[in-house]
Every structure is written in structure tokens, then in C-alpha cells.
Amino acid sequence: MNTIWSDNIQGIQTLYLSRKLRFDDVFFDQYRDAFNLEKSAELKILEIGCGPGALAGALHRWYPNAQITAIDRDNNFISFGKQNIAGVEFIEGDAEHLPFEDNTFDVTISNTVQEHVEPKAFWGEQYRVLKPGGICLCLSARKGLYCTAPCLKITKEEEEFWQSVTLENESEKYGVCRYPTSESELPASMEQYNFRDITTNYAIINLTPDNPKYSVQMAEAMIEAQRQTNLEAIVSVHSIADERAVEAVNSKFDERLRLYHDGIKQWDTSVSITMIVRGKK
């Protein structure tokens, strides 16, 4: 059983809730234009490195006639996806050795995976399992913007907690982001491994709870996603969470929700930029 990522890098809720927001239907227009897939087509789509399955779930909504398969090496993510996301086949598998026959899929897609996988295997395996004329979609996070609300600044209890622990360099230990590429290198890498008709696009996802264009439910989800990220960071250090730090986190996010519902705007924001590279076999 492989649970390295969910145990040491990003917890299930951290990854699922943040991606669920970024792949919410309100942002579909940006992805639709970049993906350039026929919405009603009976496509076979493979998501590689699916995590807990937020993108796979979105693909099922966006392309209702498609057959969605999602793989990840982390067993915790696959179990979560199977239990919580309908309409998707979740399989434990390795991006460097995809467990599928040649010429199986119409589309392969990955989100923030390329930078962790050796390029020859990453592109080569997708090229192998795609049908002739199949589409490869590579989503890659780029530098965004982040501004926190005053009420969400790190608390004294959290500072004391983080000062009391010794942190390993988990990214180096587990080979996280071992193969980074710039905005020009990423499409060039895809081209190097025989894909053609390559295009690049960018999805700009603005997560600002106080923006009136978002529903109350969406705004609350943005705040709660931040809460879970903070809580899972604490729990990931110790199997038993530090009660004072956890209480401080919950208290400040409860206050953020109160301010939101009272109409006291904070204008805290997280703006993510996702590069979308599209190529054809």
C-alpha cells in the first residue's frame, strides 16, 4: 500500500477541497476552451495522478457521455475517490507504467503531475496509451497571488506549535517537483516526445470569498478549504493534533465566517494560474 503523498505531502482534504474549488462549474468556460473537446462525444478519458478525484469528478460532469478512468499511486486517494465520487473508475497505478494497452484512450489529462515524473516516461506512456489522433492535456500550476485576511494571520498558538517541531524536507525526501519546467519548456517537452499541434492556454481562478459574483455556498467553501489546509498541516506533523493550535485555527476561521456573514468584507484572495498545454498524437 502506497500512502506517501497523502501521509507526508498533501492530505486528502487539503488536496480535494482546493481542487474542487478550482474545478468548480463556474470556471468551466476557461477549461472548455483550452481542452477543445466535443462535450457530447463518447470519449475514453484517462486522468493520471488524480489525487482524491476532484478533476475526475468535474470531467464526469462536463463530459457526460465520456468514460472517465482515474489513476494514482496513493491508495488513500483512490479509496476516497471510490467512496465519494460517482461516475468515475478509480484505479491504483503508476504514471511511469500505465496499466493499459496501447491505443486505449481518446484523451489523457493530468494536473500538477508532470513536474514529479521523469519526462520520457511521463510523455511516452501517455503517447502509448492514446489512440492515433488522441489528445494529451497537461495542466501545470504557475505562480499565482495570495493575500490573507487580517483575522487569518498566524496565531501565537500556531507559532509556538511550529517552533516546537522539527520538520524534514519532505519535498526533497520524496522527490517532489524533481522535473520542473518553465512556461516555454513545458510545451517544448511535449513536442520533444512526438506530440503535434501543440497549443497553450491559461486558466485564471479567482477565489475571493467577498466577491459578490460567488454564491454564499461557494464563499463558505473557499474559507473552509483554507481551514482544512491549516488543520491537516498540523495533523501531518503529529498523529495526534496539538489541541491548542487546532483550537486557534478553528477560532480564527470561525471569525472569518462570521465577518463574511455580517457583510464585513476582508477581500482576502487566492488567485491560481494554471497553464494548460494541449497536444495531439
Side-chain angles (χ1 to χ4, degrees), residues 153-166:
K153 296 289 187 182
I154 190 167
T155 65
K156 180 184 71 173
E157 291 81 5
E158 290 172 277
E159 284 186 339
E160 290 175 352
F161 169 75
W162 290 113
Q163 289 169 1
S164 72
V165 299
T166 301

Side-chain angles (χ1 to χ4, degrees), residues 214-251:
Y214 296 123
S215 67
V216 171
Q217 182 180 21
M218 182 77 165
E220 290 175 340
M222 294 177 194
I223 296 168
E224 290 297 343
Q226 293 182 69
R227 184 201 300 262
Q228 289 304 317
T229 297
N230 278 243
L231 291 174
E232 281 197 334
I234 293 169
V235 173
S236 69
V237 178
H238 296 299
S239 57
I240 300 176
D242 182 279
E243 291 185 6
R244 291 179 68 249
V246 167
E247 183 178 350
V249 167
N250 281 322
S251 178

